[in-house]
């Protein structure tokens, strides 16, 4: 089977990783998968699953214990992301919360901000999101128009965000806004905004072609008063912070993609070994074998590169270009693998009851979000021609 031929992955080989893997698998199998249908109908997961993940120490895994995290290194986050990908779990936006919002606070937050939000985040009692994209701009983030006007002890925020992961369930969002509009100091700043505040509204979760249990939605701000103490990092430095932190976000998308590809191949080996045509298993046809051999080869190549990237990220050395290569290449590979695998399921591959169908629908967005793959190539190319 697949595990017999893939190289041992040293980054996940310790006893602690094995124990964590077992725990994650039980959690997914017993507590997540049985709820998928219900969550897909509701367009969102339950708050209980967030709190359960918090109880198990699966949120904010690499955050220091003094803020309620598990104090482990990033490879444990990576393991969790891959395991979720393998089983096509796309409802709870755990990774966005753990791997994007928490590091923003940890790196750029004041002690007061960290104490207020991080322990609640680690417990899953405070769900978070990040609001960058707006109806009129996604790739070109400098063009955002949500504004924050300085009113002395607070900012007055007006504008709108869209396609926000965890948007409907979030209690807090890190929101990119324009400050000092029309002056020489005009720039992007980041504000920590609580969804219970007056003037902060949410749209209903979007109906998407995949990730149906994920509460992706719009956020609206109508004269929201944000205390000055909720500025994250320095005023006008938001764009730089986002560009620095996007490397980690891109790696997490790539990790989910290789987990997804592995899950798809495993599923397909199992299915084609039992389904028969012309009096033999589908797996006996050379076409099936060659297709799966190609998929397994691509998976292994990407695992090797991503293991290196994971290690570099843990050491704070992952470059924007390598993260972009990982995101672009792994998500393209994942799409190809899932497409080939679905074909080998025949008509059943098109049926929602089969995980391969969900994998097919879910994976498509990975080439679009966290920066489109075209933008990834732009960033890589920029590095190539930098003096
Ligand atoms: C399910 C989902 C979840 C999301 N979650 C979040 C979230 O939590 N927070 C958040 O802020 N955003 C989120 N997004 C938004 C996502 O990051 C954006 O959709 C993405 O960055 C692309 O922006 P856009 O949709 O505005 O596309 P556009 O920027 O309008 O791009 C349209 C097309 O033009 C191409 N293009 C644009 N510029 C160039 C260029 N210079 N060269 C070549 N081609 C170019 C793009 O690659 C794309 O193919 C999410 C999106 C989805 C679908």
């Amino acid at each position: 089977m697949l595990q017999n031929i893939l190289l041992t992955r040293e980054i996940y080989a310790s006893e602690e990783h094995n124990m964590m893997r077992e725990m994650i698998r039980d959690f997914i199998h017993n507590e997540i998968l049985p709820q998928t249908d219900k969550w897909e109908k509701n367009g969102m997961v339950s708050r209980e699953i967030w709190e359960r993940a918090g109880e198990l120490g699966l949120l904010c895994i690499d955050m220091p214990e003094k803020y309620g995290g598990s104090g482990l290194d990033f490879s444990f986050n990576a393991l969790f992301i891959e395991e979720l990908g393998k089983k096509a779990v796309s409802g709870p936006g755990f990774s966005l919360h753990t791997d994007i919002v928490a590091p923003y606070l940890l790196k750029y937050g004041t002690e007061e901000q960290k104490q207020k939000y991080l322990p609640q985040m680690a417990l899953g009692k405070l769900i978070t999101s990040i609001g960058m994209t707006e109806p009129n701009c996604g790739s070109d983030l400098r063009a955002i128009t949500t504004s924050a006007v300085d009113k002395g002890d607070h900012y007055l925020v007006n504008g709108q965000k869209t396609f926000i992961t965890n948007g409907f369930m979030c209690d807090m969002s890190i929101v990119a806004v324009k400050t000092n509009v029309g002056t020489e100091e005009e720039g992007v700043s980041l504000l920590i905004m609580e969804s219970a505040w007056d003037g902060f509204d949410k749209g209903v979760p979007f109906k998407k072609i995949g990730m149906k249990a994920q509460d992706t939605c719009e956020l609206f701000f109508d004269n929201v008063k944000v205390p000055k103490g909720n500025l994250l990092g320095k005023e006008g430095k938001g764009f730089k912070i986002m560009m620095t932190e996007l490397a980690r976000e891109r790696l997490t998308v790539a990790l989910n993609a290789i987990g997804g590809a592995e899950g798809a191949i495993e599923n397909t080996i199992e299915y084609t070994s039992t389904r028969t045509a012309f009096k033999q298993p589908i797996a006996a046809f050379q076409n099936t074998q060659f297709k799966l051999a190609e998929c397994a080869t691509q998976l292994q190549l990407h695992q090797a590169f991503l293991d290196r990237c994971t290690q570099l990220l843990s050491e704070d050395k992952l470059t924007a270009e390598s993260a972009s290569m990982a995101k672009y290449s792994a998500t393209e590979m994942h799409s190809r693998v899932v497409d080939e695998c679905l074909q080998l399921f025949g008509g059943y591959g098109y049926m929602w009851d089969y995980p391969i169908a969900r994998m097919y629908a879910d994976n498509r967005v990975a080439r679009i979000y966290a920066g489109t793959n075209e933008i990834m190539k732009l960033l890589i190319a920029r590095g190539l021609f930098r003096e």
Side-chain angles (χ1 to χ4, degrees):
M1 289 293 165
L2 186 58
Q3 289 312 320
N4 298 340
I5 66 156
L6 294 178
L7 295 174
T8 303
R9 299 176 69 190
E10 297 301 332
I11 57 159
Y12 299 146
S14 76
E15 195 45 42
E16 288 80 13
H17 287 95
N18 288 335
M19 282 164 54
M20 170 81 98
R21 186 183 296 105
E22 285 310 306
M23 192 252 280
I24 292 170
R25 286 185 179 172
D26 285 347
F27 176 52
I28 293 175
H29 186 264
N30 299 328
E31 301 184 56
I32 293 189
L33 295 182
Q35 308 212 60
T36 306
D37 285 346
K38 182 175 72 191
W39 290 344
E40 285 183 344
K41 280 194 192 91
N42 295 344
M44 69 188 84
V45 303
S46 64
R47 289 194 81 90
E48 289 73 34
I49 204 70
W50 278 88
E51 293 188 19
R52 182 69 182 129
E55 234 173 68
L56 293 172
L58 291 172
L59 298 177
C60 306
I61 300 174
D62 67 338
M63 196 162 70
E65 288 172 79
K66 74 170 182 165
Y67 297 118
S70 299
L72 297 166
D73 69 59
F74 178 75
S75 66
F76 289 88
N77 301 37
L79 179 68
F80 188 32
I81 297 167
E82 284 200 40
E83 291 295 325
L84 291 169
K86 264 185 221 171
K87 295 293 175 195
V89 177
S90 60
F94 294 147
S95 180
L96 183 124
H97 177 90
T98 294
D99 294 298
I100 301 169
V101 179
Y104 267 68
L105 282 165
L106 201 60
K107 277 199 189 167
Y108 307 100
T110 61
E111 194 51 35
E112 202 182 333
Q113 290 168 347
K114 291 181 202 178
Q115 295 289 354
K116 180 168 183 194
Y117 296 109
L118 290 175
Q120 293 300 305
M121 286 175 65
L123 289 171
K125 291 186 186 298
L126 186 108
I127 299 173
T128 62
S129 69
I130 189 141
M132 301 182 197
T133 308
E134 297 186 355
N136 292 320
C137 71
S139 302
D140 179 14
L141 282 177
R142 281 192 200 272
I144 60 167
T145 57
T146 296
S147 66
V149 178
D150 192 333
K151 295 283 181 185
D153 64 343
H154 67 271
Y155 293 103
L156 206 57
V157 175
N158 282 286
Q160 181 182 346
K161 298 289 170 183
T162 195
F163 304 146
I164 306 307
T165 301
N166 299 338
F168 193 78
M169 294 185 74
C170 76
D171 305 295
M172 181 271 267
S173 187
I174 294 184
V175 179
V177 295
K178 274 272 173 74
T179 40
N180 298 307
V181 177
T183 72
E184 277 190 2
E185 282 83 49
E186 179 172 320
V188 176
S189 301
L190 299 176
L191 296 179
I192 304 170
M193 295 180 64
E194 297 181 20
S195 63
W197 289 343
D198 282 349
F200 187 136
D201 285 311
K202 300 165 175 177
V204 289
F206 286 113
K207 289 201 183 306
K208 306 187 291 301
I209 63 173
M211 298 179 63
K212 292 176 187 291
Q214 166 52 232
D215 55 308
T216 315
C217 82
E218 290 168 294
L219 303 179
F220 303 95
F221 314 117
D222 180 15
N223 285 322
V224 185
K225 276 185 177 178
V226 180
K228 279 280 178 70
N230 277 40
L231 173 69
L232 183 67
K234 294 210 167 68
E235 200 176 74
K237 297 291 177 206
F239 193 76
K240 192 160 181 240
I241 295 177
M242 289 193 293
M243 291 306 115
T244 311
E245 295 308 310
L246 278 168
R248 178 168 166 140
E249 179 174 0
R250 286 164 187 161
L251 178 58
T252 63
V253 174
L255 287 162
N256 193 258
I258 60 168
E262 187 173 343
I265 298 169
E266 275 172 353
N267 242 266
T268 312
I269 293 171
E270 208 179 299
Y271 180 80
T272 56
S273 301
T274 51
R275 172 86 177 167
T276 56
F278 301 98
K279 296 188 179 154
Q280 51 184 324
I282 304 288
F285 299 122
Q286 194 180 54
N287 177 62
T288 307
Q289 296 177 5
F290 278 15
K291 289 291 182 201
L292 288 173
E294 288 164 15
C295 290
T297 306
Q298 284 303 312
L299 170 65
Q300 171 128 290
L301 288 171
H302 281 85
Q303 284 180 338
F305 176 47
L306 286 191
D307 288 355
R308 179 80 183 116
C309 290
T310 297
Q311 193 187 352
L312 286 171
L313 189 92
S314 306
E315 296 162 7
D316 219 5
K317 290 184 194 155
L318 182 67
T319 63
E321 289 82 7
S322 292
S324 301
M325 288 177 188
K327 194 265 177 184
Y328 139 64
S329 186
T331 56
E332 302 272 345
M333 180 274 298
H334 184 202
S335 278
R336 284 193 304 274
V337 165
V338 172
D339 190 57
E340 295 289 10
C341 287
L342 189 148
Q343 185 71 14
L344 296 172
F345 275 73
Y348 289 104
Y350 202 66
M351 299 299 130
W352 199 248
D353 286 343
Y354 283 72
I356 195 72
R358 183 176 284 113
M359 289 174 175
Y360 182 82
D362 282 359
N363 96 84
R364 184 60 184 85
V365 74
R367 286 154 56 197
I368 296 171
Y369 65 14
T372 66
N373 283 5
E374 291 73 31
I375 297 298
M376 296 304 99
K377 290 180 209 174
L378 203 100
L379 294 172
I380 299 163
R382 217 177 263 163
L384 293 177
F385 293 101
R386 201 166 33 225
E387 291 289 315

